[in-house]
Amino acid sequence: MLRIIYFLLCISLACFSACKPEVDIIPVPDNTAPPDRSVPEVVKANYVNKCYITLLGRKATEAEFSAGMSLLSRDNALLSDRQAFLDGLLSKPDYSQRQYDIARIEILNNLDTAEITFQIAIYAQLAQLPEYQPFLDIIYAEIAKMQALKNIPADLEAGTLNRIDMHRRFVNNFFYDEINMGTQNFILGTFEYFLKRYPTDTELARATTMIDGFEAILFGAEGKDKDDFLQIFFMSDDYLEGQILNVYEDFLFRPPTSYEMGIKTQAYRSHLSYKNVLRDILSTDEFLGI
């Protein structure tokens, strides 16, 4: 009986094999699998930590790290999620304070707030002396500059001051003049720090003429005093390009290409928001690390 069942089973298998249709495999040209666009968890974790250290000068707390990872993981670190994450960091008081501290250290040799307060007190005392009465306008103008310098962190946090005007306050005061004594040193120091280059002979001559109180043309604009020089300098494309160069070198560790410099400077000119510049560049795949 078992032999009969085995014999019938063999016949059935043979018939099934004979009836099975043949499948032709036809190769499709250029049929390559799409690249894997998933972002590894370690890349997202490094991005969160890097952004906190870069923008706030500190590591994320456990809660902040968890929130950042949750945001970046909801849709595979989508560009819009990276930008939302950066917007959150750029709105923190830590960011405003760090911007002030960096400029204070680099531009004014680590000037302390107490030194500003002390200088204001000196000017206030001078204003009370009879021999200084003819110079009250000058004294009060210097006090106003000192107070504006002291108010930078609060004004940045309140959103009433942008980076451009912050820089203008940092170079328009008694302390900066003491560090860069004389008109030419003032010009050289300002060009070197903000533009990452020295002025040409023509630029130096024209800027000197302007600051010394005579009409001159610099960066295509006319001025005749120090206030005009500062207005022209900090609204020039040369200044905006210097800021773009800073971001690329500080965060991407390379200079921008000519195309990048042109397009980013044009964008900066349109919105005059350094936060937008940072968000644009720090949300790229390059900074993310993929």
Side-chain angles (χ1 to χ4, degrees):
M1 184 64 181
L2 292 175
R3 289 182 178 180
I4 295 174
I5 293 174
Y6 177 76
F7 176 74
L8 292 174
L9 181 61
C10 289
I11 293 176
S12 298
L13 290 173
C15 291
F16 177 79
S17 299
C19 296
K20 184 178 180 181
E22 294 185 3
V23 178
D24 294 332
I25 300 177
I26 303 175
V28 178
D30 299 324
N31 185 27
T32 57
D36 182 8
R37 297 294 297 173
S38 61
V39 179
E41 290 297 298
V42 66
V43 172
K44 287 182 281 190
N46 288 338
Y47 182 74
V48 171
N49 287 326
K50 185 165 57 172
C51 286
Y52 266 88
I53 293 173
T54 295
L55 296 177
L56 307 187
R58 63 173 177 84
K59 292 183 178 180
T61 65
E62 186 175 339
E64 289 170 336
F65 179 81
S66 178
M69 288 295 291
S70 177
L71 175 58
L72 294 175
S73 297
R74 70 182 183 183
D75 200 0
N76 195 36
L78 197 66
L79 175 62
S80 59
D81 289 339
R82 289 179 236 165
Q83 292 175 336
F85 170 68
L86 289 167
D87 282 338
L89 267 62
L90 292 169
S91 65
K92 289 181 178 292
D94 307 41
Y95 169 75
S96 299
Q97 184 64 45
R98 179 164 171 76
Q99 294 305 297
Y100 171 74
D101 287 339
I102 291 174
R104 175 178 58 81
I105 292 168
E106 294 182 350
I107 301 175
L108 295 181
N109 292 345
N110 201 20
L111 179 74
D112 189 83
T113 304
E115 297 178 69
I116 303 175
T117 302
F118 181 70
Q119 190 63 37
I120 292 174
I122 291 177
Y123 280 127
Q125 289 179 351
L126 292 178
Q128 303 303 315
L129 299 177
E131 59 267 35
Y132 285 94
Q133 295 307 300
F135 310 105
L136 284 182
D137 289 346
I138 297 175
I139 291 174
Y140 288 140
E142 291 302 317
I143 291 176
K145 293 175 184 178
M146 291 290 103
Q147 195 61 55
L149 185 62
K150 188 176 179 179
N151 290 343
I152 287 176
D155 290 344
L156 285 173
E157 185 176 348
T160 58
L161 183 72
N162 62 23
R163 183 179 176 87
I164 298 171
D165 290 329
M166 178 190 76
H167 281 162
R168 191 178 334 207
R169 289 189 190 183
F170 265 109
V171 303
N172 190 25
N173 58 77
F174 164 81
F175 298 106
Y176 190 79
D177 289 341
E178 285 292 296
I179 295 170
N180 301 276
M181 296 185 66
T183 301
Q184 290 204 357
N185 285 334
F186 177 89
I187 297 167
L188 292 173
T190 304
F191 267 75
E192 184 179 11
Y193 182 78
F194 295 107
L195 308 190
K196 304 302 178 187
R197 66 175 177 83
Y198 286 110
T200 65
D201 291 341
T202 300
E203 288 171 336
L204 180 59
R206 291 180 177 182
T208 301
T209 299
M210 187 182 299
I211 293 174
D212 286 346
F214 301 95
E215 290 187 0
I217 295 176
L218 181 67
F219 299 139
E222 185 176 345
K224 58 180 179 180
D225 55 31
K226 187 176 182 180
D227 288 340
D228 287 345
F229 168 81
L230 294 176
Q231 175 66 21
I232 293 169
F233 183 89
F234 286 109
M235 287 306 296
S236 68
D237 282 346
D238 294 66
Y239 167 77
L240 299 179
E241 289 174 356
Q243 296 302 289
I244 299 298
L245 179 62
N246 267 345
V247 175
Y248 271 85
E249 291 185 341
D250 289 349
F251 304 138
L252 298 183
F253 307 107
R254 65 172 179 85
T257 64
S258 297
Y259 173 78
E260 290 170 333
M261 178 64 84
I263 200 72
K264 301 303 182 188
T265 301
Q266 183 179 8
Y268 196 6
R269 166 71 65 194
S270 68
H271 52 62
L272 298 179
S273 170
Y274 185 70
K275 288 184 178 182
N276 285 358
V277 173
L278 286 177
R279 183 182 63 177
D280 183 33
I281 295 174
L282 301 191
S283 63
T284 60
D285 287 352
E286 183 176 356
F287 188 75
L288 176 63
I290 60 173

